[in-house]
Amino acid sequence: MTAAPLGTKTRILDAAEKLFGKNGFEETSLRDITAEAQVNLAAVNYHFQTKESLIDAVILRRLEPLNRKRMEMLDAAGETPSVEQIAEAFLAPLIEVDIPNVAPLVGRVFSNPAQFAVRVFLKELAPVVRRFDQAIAAAVPALTPEERFWRLHFMAGAMTHMLAMWDVLPMMTSLPIHPVDRGAVVRQMVQFVAAGLRAPLVAKPPAELDKERT
Amino acid sequence: MTAAPLGTKTRILDAAEKLFGKNGFEETSLRDITAEAQVNLAAVNYHFQTKESLIDAVILRRLEPLNRKRMEMLDAAGETPSVEQIAEAFLAPLIEVDIPNVAPLVGRVFSNPAQFAVRVFLKELAPVVRRFDQAIAAAVPALTPEERFWRLHFMAGAMTHMLAMWDVLPMMTSLPIHPVDRGAVVRQMVQFVAAGLRAPLVAKPPAELDKERT
DNA sequence: GTCTATAACCGGATAGAC
DNA sequence: GTCTATCCGGTTATAGAC
């Protein structure tokens, strides 16, 4: 059952990752973490100085390789990837991540406005967004920069919601989706998002179109 | 500037709504709230007993009328609404809500897995979801129940992300979207989501399709 | 209904022995 | 590097005067 004994630092990171994802950053105390990791309370401050820098360490340990994978998948799709390939490169690495506890953690990171959105986004995510934005521009040249901005965030939102709600989704339906097949979700999502990215441009408010019809 | 003097209870609700949306539930203390509301600390416990039941009161005060509006818009779209009408009824009332501070509050509610997702969702949101699911089934009969489930949550995720990220979105782009035109966002979102709802069904994993092409 | 004062507790962080 | 013990500020909640 127990693998090679992990170092204290790694045990803290693993425990924090699990509890942060499950209960949130602010609602998880260092005491919760050290209890879960079975290490001493003071070890956290010795290895990570403050709670905030522990949070950053927990996030960056996972986010960096995941974003690298996204870039690699997009690169592997060639010069002019289809919207399906773009969507899959953006979504699959995060949805299908096979490390336990990571999906809800990343979901929390991406749905917290002030806390990290700025501090993590600008530093770690901006290049990824720029790269995917360029790919979308090439795949759907009719889109204006504003339209690409919105659609890229619609795609990100659909993904974030899945990551964050992963564990509670089965409770929201009577359908037999326990446990969720992540490959199937990616395929559904790629299909949905690709159609959205290719959607005709907005001309008039839909409300006005409805009025004209009557 | 100051309107008719509000009651203590209302001032607490307003202050809590603002701070919960801005900083989160757990990270907002009752002291923060009473300072913002300019009422005494003990007034919170007198009117709401505990912090948790204050949170519920803050949420339900806004969520109930918003969900009623969504239902009314869907009803107003007639017997068999188009996917555009379904999307607009689902999205517009929340995105275009004109009460200050409510958008980020609702965004936080919808992106918190455990905290309320179950306790609020099952009680307050389940009928709404059921109603929209039926409408989607009528508008796109080819979809299986599972596919409707996923696509409905993709739509919800795109919306939630917009609500939660509202105030920080301008920091994530160099485009001139300050302050965000919410009507325009709804139109963009309806277009995106409607295309996603109408997307062709998933047959094979996109990865396999890519392999076949080479 | 509204206030002051305080109880009772929990949080992050650190000092200092080993 | 790891432990125990502790500091200290902030938290919810309540008792009791007005």
Side-chain angles (χ1 to χ4, degrees), chain A residues 202-214, chain B residues 73 82 84-85 88-89 92 96 181 183-184 186-187 190-191:
Chain A
V202 170
K204 285 195 186 184
E208 291 182 18
L209 288 176
D210 292 346
K211 281 177 204 157
E212 288 168 17
R213 258 200 288 176
T214 57
Chain B
M73 278 186 70
S82 66
E84 280 81 6
Q85 289 174 313
E88 200 189 0
E96 290 183 321
D181 174 352
V186 169
R187 291 194 290 278
V190 166
Q191 198 75 357

Side-chain angles (χ1 to χ4, degrees), chain B residues 10-211:
Chain B
T10 306
R11 295 234 304 286
I12 293 171
L13 284 172
D14 289 345
E17 171 173 288
K18 176 177 173 181
L19 295 175
F20 284 157
K22 190 171 186 174
N23 303 322
F25 298 99
E26 194 76 12
E27 30 282 275
T28 301
S29 70
L30 297 183
R31 285 172 159 80
D32 294 336
I33 294 169
T34 54
E36 170 83 23
Q38 297 197 309
V39 302
N40 189 272
L41 174 59
V44 173
N45 292 307
Y46 175 78
H47 286 288
F48 299 96
Q49 291 79 49
T50 69
K51 182 181 180 181
E52 183 166 320
S53 81
L54 168 64
I55 293 176
D56 285 354
V58 168
I59 294 173
L60 288 181
R61 179 171 71 139
R62 302 307 186 185
L63 209 53
E64 202 182 311
L66 286 173
N67 276 331
R68 219 178 315 119
K69 184 114 184 271
R70 292 164 114 181
M71 301 288 235
E72 286 168 9
M73 278 186 70
L74 191 56
D75 290 339
E79 291 271 315
T80 54
S82 66
V83 285
E84 280 81 6
Q85 289 174 313
I86 294 170
E88 200 189 0
F90 190 87
L91 304 168
L94 271 59
I95 300 283
E96 290 183 321
V97 58
D98 56 354
I99 309 163
N101 310 316
V102 170
L105 174 82
V106 176
R108 283 199 188 265
V109 173
F110 286 169
S111 45
N112 260 57
Q115 211 155 13
F116 331 95
V118 183
R119 144 165 137 241
V120 165
F121 182 93
L122 293 176
K123 183 183 164 65
E124 194 75 9
L125 238 58
V128 180
V129 167
R130 198 162 22 243
R131 179 84 178 73
F132 276 87
D133 184 62
Q134 288 167 358
I136 294 171
V140 193
L143 294 178
T144 66
E146 286 81 6
E147 284 165 327
R148 292 201 305 272
F149 175 77
W150 295 124
R151 294 183 183 198
L152 196 135
H153 277 285
F154 299 155
M155 170 169 70
M159 181 195 69
T160 297
H161 193 245
M162 280 297 127
L163 291 172
M165 291 292 163
W166 201 253
D167 295 331
V168 299
L169 273 183
M171 293 187 250
M172 298 187 176
T173 176
S174 56
L175 298 172
I177 55 166
H178 318 239
V180 179
D181 174 352
R182 291 179 290 188
V185 176
V186 169
R187 291 194 290 278
Q188 294 289 342
M189 222 162 155
V190 166
Q191 198 75 357
F192 183 94
V193 165
L197 290 175
R198 264 200 281 257
L201 307 191
V202 170
K204 285 194 187 185
E208 291 182 18
L209 288 175
D210 292 346
K211 281 177 204 159

Side-chain angles (χ1 to χ4, degrees), chain A residues 157-199:
Chain A
M159 180 195 70
T160 298
H161 193 245
M162 280 298 127
L163 292 172
M165 292 292 162
W166 201 252
D167 294 331
V168 299
L169 274 183
M171 292 186 250
M172 298 187 178
T173 176
S174 55
L175 300 171
I177 55 167
H178 317 242
V180 180
D181 175 352
R182 291 179 289 189
V185 176
V186 168
R187 291 194 291 278
Q188 294 290 343
M189 223 164 154
V190 166
Q191 198 75 358
F192 182 94
V193 165
L197 290 176
R198 264 200 281 257

